[in-house]
Amino acid sequence: MKLFRNPHPNELEKLITKHWTQDSTVLHYTGHMLGIGCRLSSTNALDRISSLKQRTGKEGFIALICDLQWLGDNNIDIPALLVPICQQYWPGNLTLIFPTRNPMFAPVTVNGKTAFRVPTDSMLRQIIDYLGEPMISTSINVSGLPPAETMQDIDKRYANWFDLGFISSSIITTEPSTIIEYADTDDNGKPIIPRLKCLRESSIPFYEIRQSFAQPAILFVCTGNICRSPIAEYLFNKYSKERNLNIRAKSAGLLETGAMISLNSMQLLAEKGINAQEHLSRKINTEILSSSWLIFTMEEAQRDIIRNSFPEFRHKIFTLKEYIGQEGDIADPIGKDSDYYRDIYGQIDEALLGLLDILGGKC
């Protein structure tokens, strides 16, 4: 096996072109697990992997794609109800199984459905993008035995399975993906209320995914979670209910305060008939960010702080104005007079109406 560790991004394409043949079997790291894989179009490599694993069926093969946009660019339909889930958890450790009619996936399609994931590892996504087609991935093990979790395991038992290996970083986690199957028909093909079935629960809890599927949640963030983001949260939820949108909002801040909403913010919301007296500020954390479909900050600096502190979520973090096609920040009114607060309130209100128009077309 030719193993390449941490190749420079500028050298990656050259290495792939030189060493990766049509039928190569390749060691890779998804960001959570080591795997064996190949090009989707290589039936020879797929057959070889099945033989090595002593597997007779197509179950267990996952199509790794570079991003969600790839599906749309290649005219591969994804159920509309799954789009927020994909945007919330991809790239990430979630495998989604849903119906596909495109014949290119026939080698890995079971009962009309294909398993997809956008891997966490950025180098692997770059490789897939360069290949121009999905990479099929599965665990490194003989069926029925535990999967290999370390390079030592592979060197000892499975080294002859691979032609090539691309490993971008130290292997720090060995967590299989959570696997969710989407269904909108029964076993006889009759339409049913769309639902999710958990085939394997891992690092992403099923209850969180099920809740996001039933009602996607967006998150508003400011500094202290006492002025701007609570206004955005309560106003958005009022408008969303009035428009019959199945989206809920929550809010958080960068600081650990546990404080009540500011008096001016509370009074401005009360003018709209909104009671926010029970609001208590909270600080962002991994759980809050993971359970949010989209994350909107009031300032660019806040956006950049969260992106740098939680890079796994950077793809879904925007400033509120940025997302609706405007420039600039929504300034912090803390310590200002009531007229200043009212101006900031108006900016948030206007931005939310634009946001509702956009999200209303996505859900």
Side-chain angles (χ1 to χ4, degrees), residues 76-293:
I76 298 164
D77 293 332
I78 177 171
L81 291 174
L82 282 185
V83 172
I85 297 293
C86 296
Q87 293 173 329
Q88 179 170 335
Y89 292 105
W90 285 353
N93 204 26
L94 176 66
T95 296
L96 290 171
I97 301 175
F98 54 86
T100 46
R101 296 180 178 86
N102 193 308
M104 71 184 294
F105 292 102
V108 292
T109 295
V110 180
N111 297 325
K113 295 182 179 180
T114 307
F116 291 94
R117 184 160 87 246
V118 178
T120 304
D121 187 79
S122 59
M123 188 189 77
L124 184 56
R125 296 198 305 273
Q126 183 182 350
I127 290 172
I128 297 166
D129 186 40
Y130 178 72
L131 291 175
E133 64 176 304
M135 179 176 174
I136 301 306
S137 177
T138 189
S139 57
I140 306 167
N141 62 309
V142 173
S143 293
L145 297 180
E149 296 184 343
T150 66
M151 289 302 300
Q152 289 81 4
D153 290 342
I154 291 168
D155 290 338
K156 184 177 180 179
R157 298 182 177 87
Y158 302 106
N160 64 340
W161 284 26
F162 304 95
D163 300 308
L164 293 173
F166 288 91
I167 303 295
S168 65
S169 59
S170 300
I171 301 169
I172 56 175
T173 62
T174 54
E175 296 175 317
S177 65
T178 294
I179 301 177
I180 302 297
E181 181 178 7
Y182 171 86
D184 54 15
T185 60
D186 62 18
D187 293 339
N188 297 317
K190 295 182 179 180
I192 60 172
I193 296 173
R195 59 180 176 82
L196 299 181
K197 180 180 180 181
C198 184
L199 304 186
R200 182 176 69 197
E201 186 172 40
S202 185
S203 58
I204 303 175
F206 180 51
Y207 78 85
E208 180 185 295
I209 300 169
R210 186 169 52 192
Q211 183 179 46
S212 296
F213 180 73
Q215 189 178 41
I218 63 173
L219 178 71
F220 295 105
V221 180
C222 65
T223 302
N225 190 215
I226 59 174
C227 298
R228 292 166 291 177
S229 58
I231 289 175
E233 174 190 356
Y234 284 90
L235 267 183
F236 183 94
N237 284 333
K238 174 181 171 61
Y239 293 149
S240 181
K241 183 177 181 180
E242 291 173 349
R243 295 190 183 200
N244 292 316
L245 293 181
N246 190 35
I247 311 170
R248 72 188 190 280
K250 51 190 179 178
S251 65
L254 301 181
L255 304 178
E256 191 80 67
T257 59
M260 294 179 60
I261 187 172
S262 69
L263 180 60
N264 280 323
S265 294
M266 185 190 305
Q267 290 173 336
L268 288 166
L269 288 170
E271 291 178 9
K272 282 274 191 176
I274 300 172
N275 184 350
Q277 294 184 65
E278 299 301 317
H279 175 82
L280 287 178
S281 65
R282 59 177 183 167
K283 184 179 180 180
I284 60 168
N285 56 37
T286 299
E287 181 179 354
I288 293 171
L289 297 175
S290 175
S291 63
S292 303
W293 167 27

Side-chain angles (χ1 to χ4, degrees), residues 330-343:
I330 298 175
D332 192 349
I334 190 75
K336 305 292 185 179
D337 60 25
S338 58
D339 289 338
Y340 193 93
Y341 260 90
R342 191 171 295 277
D343 177 64

